[in-house]
Amino acid sequence: LADSLHQNTLVLADGIYSPSTTGEFFPLGMPSYVSLSGNTETGVILDAEERSNVLLFDHSQGTTLEKMTITGGIARYGGGIYCSYSNPTLKKITLSWNVATSSGGGIYCYDSNPLLFQVSIIHNAARWWQSGGGGIFVHDSSPYLVNVTIAENEANRGGGLYSTWASNPVLVNSILWNGGQQEIYLENRDYASITIAYSDIQGGQSDIE
C-alpha cells in the first residue's frame, strides 16, 4: 500500500494502451503516492478511444505522470485529464485530440495546483457553445506551467486557457498559439488573475480577454 513514506512508481512498456488493444478501462484513477512513467513521450500512448476521460486525479497527492501521450479522451469536463483537489506533477507529457463537451478539453482543474513541466497541449477542444479552455480550464486553481506549449486548441472562450474564480495560473517560458478567438480568458477578473514571464502569446496582451 503506497503512502507518503512508501511511494511507488509504475513503469509502462512502450505500446498503445486502449480498450481495443489491451482491454483498458478508462478513466484511469490515480491513487495518492503512485506515479506512472513511460520510457519515452511517444512510446507510451494512453488512448481512451472516445469513451471517457483518460486520467482522473481525485484527492490525489504525491503523484507524478511522466513521458507519455494522453489522447482520445472525451467527457463533460477534462477530456484528457480531470484534476480535482489534487496537485500532480506532469513531466514530458503530450495531451492531444481530447474533447470536453463543456470545459477543459486537455485538462480541467478544480481546486488543484498541478505542476506542468515540458508538456505539450495540442489539438484539444471544448465544444459546447459556452465552453471554455480548449487546452486548460482552471477553477479555484493555480497550476504552475514551465516550458509548456499550448497550441491549436479550440474553444468559444479561451482556446488556450480559461481561468475563473480565485485562480492564478503561472506561465514561465511557455507558448500559447493559434487558440482561436483569444488565447486566454479570465472570468471574474476581480478574483482570477494570471502571471506570465518569458512567454510567447500569439496576439500578445490583446489576446488576453
Side-chain angles (χ1 to χ4, degrees):
L1 182 66
D3 56 32
S4 59
L5 297 178
H6 305 90
Q7 301 187 29
N8 294 330
T9 298
L10 304 177
V11 180
L12 299 178
D14 285 355
I16 299 173
Y17 296 82
S18 70
S20 64
T21 60
T22 56
E24 299 298 329
F25 289 93
F26 290 95
L28 299 178
M30 291 295 296
S32 294
Y33 308 112
V34 174
S35 296
L36 199 60
S37 177
N39 292 310
T40 65
E41 191 169 337
T42 57
V44 171
I45 299 172
L46 303 183
D47 185 354
E49 295 180 340
E50 300 184 352
R51 301 191 184 196
S52 70
N53 321 73
V54 182
L55 285 162
L56 174 63
F57 294 89
D58 185 14
H59 293 82
S60 178
Q61 304 301 323
T63 57
T64 297
L65 195 69
E66 187 172 10
K67 296 180 183 176
M68 63 186 65
T69 294
I70 297 167
T71 189
I74 187 168
R76 184 175 182 184
Y77 301 111
I81 294 176
Y82 181 89
C83 190
S84 176
Y85 300 101
S86 302
N87 304 313
T89 296
L90 310 181
K91 296 181 180 179
K92 298 182 179 179
I93 299 294
T94 295
L95 289 110
S96 61
W97 305 110
N98 300 289
V99 174
T101 57
S102 181
S103 303
I107 302 174
Y108 183 96
C109 292
Y110 185 89
D111 205 355
S112 299
N113 306 310
L115 168 63
L116 281 67
F117 180 70
Q118 293 184 1
V119 172
S120 297
I121 304 171
I122 54 175
H123 296 298
N124 303 282
R127 290 192 170 151
W128 187 41
W129 70 276
Q130 289 185 323
S131 64
I136 303 177
F137 184 101
V138 294
H139 182 288
D140 274 336
S141 300
S142 298
Y144 200 93
L145 286 66
V146 182
N147 296 341
V148 172
T149 298
I150 305 173
E152 305 289 342
N153 299 289
E154 173 192 344
N156 188 46
R157 298 174 181 171
L161 186 148
Y162 189 113
S163 178
T164 186
W165 291 97
S167 295
N168 180 27
V170 176
L171 279 70
V172 179
N173 200 33
S174 294
I175 298 170
L176 282 87
W177 209 262
N178 204 18
Q181 188 170 355
Q182 70 278 122
E183 294 295 335
I184 298 170
Y185 188 92
L186 303 179
E187 185 184 7
N188 300 322
R189 65 180 180 179
D190 291 338
Y191 303 97
S193 63
I194 189 166
T195 301
I196 302 171
Y198 309 107
S199 295
D200 192 2
I201 300 172
Q202 186 178 29
Q205 189 171 340
S206 64
D207 238 25
I208 302 173
E209 182 175 331

